[in-house]
C-alpha cells in the first residue's frame, strides 16, 4: 500500500489513504501525527477496526482520557471504559446506548471546560443514517490568521470562560446544576488565542458559545463581542462538513478545531465509537 495525503479543503483537513490503522508502520504513524498537527484533522476511510484496534491506535497518540460526563453520565461499550459511544440507538430497556441523541450538536471544542482539555478526539463510524448526521469541523488557526485587526485588538491578552454545564446536544451534564450565569457555571478560563505546542501556530480558542464570557467586559459587551467572533470563525471558508461512510475514522486536533453535528432522523441508527487523548498541557496564550 502506498500512503497518500490530500488536503480536504485549503483551510483544514488531510485525507490519508493507503493505510490500515490496525497495522500501522512507525513511518505511517509519523505521517498521520504530522498531518494531525498541521492540518487540524485527519480522515482515514475504509477501515475495519475492532474496539481493541481503536484503543491501540489511540494509545500511540498519547495517554487515553476517560469519556466525558454526558446527559446519562459516561457511556461506554461493556468492558471498554476508555471508549465513548455516540449514538441515538436504544437498548432493550429503551435506554440510549450512547450520548448526544439524534438532534443537532452545536459547535464546540471537546471538554474545554477543563484546565487541560483533551489534545485529540477521534470518531470511528460503525452505523450511519441514510442522510443527516454530518460532522462539521472549523479551522481555528485559519480563523485567527484572517481575523480583522479591530476584532483581534478587542480580545488581545484576554481570557474566555468555558462552560461545563451543558453538552453540545444542549443536555445538562449529569449531576451539574443548571445555570445561565457564566460566573456561577463550572468551567475553566483559557486564553482567547492559544499557540499550538508542537507548531507554535496561534489559534482562536472559543470552546462553545453557551455561557461563554470574555473577561474585562460587561456581560452585554462580552456577548456582542462573542457573537462577532463566532460569526467570523464559522464562515464557510473555515469550515468543512464531513459526510460519513461506514469505516471512516476522523482524528481531530482538539486545540485548533471546533466541531458540530447535523441532526438526523431519530428512527435511523447512528453508532460511533470514540476515544480521546488526555491533554498534555494547559492551553498556552499567544504572545503577539
Ligand atoms: C464528539 C462529538 C459529534 C458527532 O464525539 O465529541 O461531538 O458527529 N460528536 O457524533
Ligand atoms: Mn464533541
Amino acid at each position: 500500500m502506498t500512503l497518500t495525503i490530500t488536503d480536504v479543503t485549503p483551510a483544514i483537513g488531510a485525507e490519508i489513504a493507503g493505510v490500515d490503522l490496525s497495522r500501522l508502520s512507525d513511518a505511517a504513524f509519523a505521517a498521520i501525527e504530522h498531518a494531525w498537527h498541521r492540518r487540524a484533522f485527519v480522515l482515514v476511510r475504509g477501515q475495519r477496526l475492532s474496539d481493541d484496534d481503536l484503543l491501540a491506535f489511540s494509545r500511540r497518540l498519547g495517554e487515553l482520557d476517560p469519556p466525558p460526563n454526558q446527559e446519562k453520565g459516561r457511556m461506554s461499550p461493556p468492558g471498554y471504559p476508555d471508549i465513548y459511544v455516540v449514538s441515538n440507538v436504544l437498548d432493550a430497556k429503551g435506554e440510549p446506548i450512547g450520548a448526544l441523541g439524534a438532534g443537532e450538536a452545536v459547535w464546540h471544542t471537546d471538554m474545554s471546560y477543563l484546565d487541560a482539555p483533551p489534545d485529540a478526539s477521534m470518531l470511528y463510524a460503525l452505523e450511519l443514517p441514510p442522510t443527516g448526521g454530518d460532522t462539521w469541523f472549523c479551522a481555528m488557526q485559519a480563523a485567527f490568521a484572517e481575523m480583522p485587526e479591530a476584532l483581534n485588538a478587542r480580545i488581545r491578552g484576554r481570557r474566555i470562560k468555558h462552560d461545563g454545564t451543558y453538552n453540545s446536544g444542549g443536555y445538562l451534564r449529569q449531576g451539574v446544576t443548571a445555570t445561565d450565569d457564566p460566573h456561577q457555571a463550572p468551567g475553566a478560563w483559557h486564553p482567547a488565542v492559544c499557540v499550538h505546542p508542537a507548531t507554535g501556530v496561534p489559534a482562536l480558542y472559543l470552546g462553545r458559545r453557551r455561557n461563554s464570557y470574555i473577561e474585562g467586559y460587561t456581560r452585554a459587551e462580552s456577548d456582542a463581542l462573542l457573537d462577532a467572533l463566532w460569526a467570523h470563525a464559522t464562515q464557510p471558508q473555515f469550515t468543512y462538513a464531513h459526510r460519513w461512510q461506514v469505516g471512516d475514522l476522523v482524528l481531530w486536533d482538539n486545540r485548533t478545531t471546533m466541531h458540530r453535528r447535523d441532526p438526523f432522523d431519530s428512527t435511523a441508527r447512528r453508532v460511533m465509537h470514540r476515544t480521546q487523548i488526555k491533554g498534555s498541557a494547559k492551553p498556552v496564550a499567544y504572545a503577539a
Side-chain angles (χ1 to χ4, degrees):
M1 283 196 286
T2 312
L3 183 148
T4 60
I5 307 180
T6 316
D7 285 356
V8 177
T9 78
I12 193 171
E15 179 170 354
I16 299 197
V19 292
D20 175 349
L21 295 176
S22 70
R23 348 179 286 120
L24 203 57
S25 68
D26 288 342
F29 177 74
I32 289 176
E33 192 175 37
H34 190 263
W36 166 55
H37 285 156
R38 273 139 193 102
R39 299 294 304 160
F41 79 79
V42 170
L43 163 66
V44 189
R45 295 208 193 255
Q47 302 298 298
R48 295 186 59 153
L49 304 178
S50 66
D51 285 336
D52 289 312
D53 293 333
L54 182 61
L55 288 173
F57 170 65
S58 302
R59 286 199 180 99
R60 292 176 81 163
L61 289 152
E63 195 184 335
L64 293 182
D65 199 34
N69 175 25
Q70 299 286 26
E71 64 273 18
K72 296 272 187 177
R74 295 186 167 78
M75 316 198 68
S76 298
Y80 288 90
D82 288 325
I83 290 182
Y84 158 47
V85 182
V86 178
S87 184
N88 64 317
V89 170
L90 305 180
D91 67 13
K93 293 189 191 126
E95 292 291 328
I97 63 166
L100 292 180
E104 180 185 355
V106 298
W107 285 117
H108 64 285
T109 290
D110 286 332
M111 298 171 83
S112 63
Y113 50 87
L114 300 181
D115 284 335
D119 286 352
S121 307
M122 71 187 88
L123 276 171
Y124 177 59
L126 290 164
E127 289 184 63
L128 295 168
T131 58
D134 293 5
T135 305
W136 295 56
F137 293 90
C138 185
M140 300 304 277
Q141 292 179 334
F144 179 69
E146 291 175 42
M147 193 152 78
E149 175 50 30
L151 214 44
N152 194 348
R154 293 170 69 197
I155 56 165
R156 190 165 295 137
R158 295 192 195 249
R159 296 180 308 159
I160 295 180
K161 174 83 184 281
H162 291 241
D163 179 54
T165 311
Y166 300 98
N167 73 12
S168 59
Y171 301 100
L172 188 66
R173 295 181 194 279
Q174 197 173 61
V176 174
T177 306
T179 180
D180 289 313
D181 179 356
H183 299 287
Q184 300 299 321
W189 290 92
H190 296 300
V193 184
C194 297
V195 281
H196 193 281
T199 64
V201 177
L204 184 61
Y205 196 58
L206 296 179
R208 58 191 78 213
R209 179 64 186 87
R210 190 164 180 186
N211 282 355
S212 183
Y213 170 73
I214 306 177
E215 72 180 342
Y217 291 107
T218 65
R219 180 80 195 271
E221 289 166 343
S222 163
D223 277 337
L225 182 48
L226 284 167
D227 287 345
L229 290 166
W230 279 86
H232 167 72
T234 56
Q235 293 177 89
Q237 68 269 34
F238 306 129
T239 65
Y240 161 73
H242 185 59
R243 177 86 209 116
W244 292 94
Q245 295 170 11
V246 169
D248 284 359
L249 180 129
V250 175
L251 158 70
W252 61 90
D253 192 326
N254 195 47
R255 300 163 288 201
T256 58
T257 54
M258 302 193 297
H259 55 282
R260 62 172 291 281
R261 184 192 70 195
D262 286 335
F264 58 97
D265 175 3
S266 61
T267 63
R269 292 170 65 95
R270 186 176 188 270
V271 181
M272 317 290 277
H273 280 189
R274 205 193 83 165
T275 58
Q276 58 186 49
I277 310 303
K278 226 184 243 325
S280 46
K282 290 183 184 177
V284 174
Y286 173 58

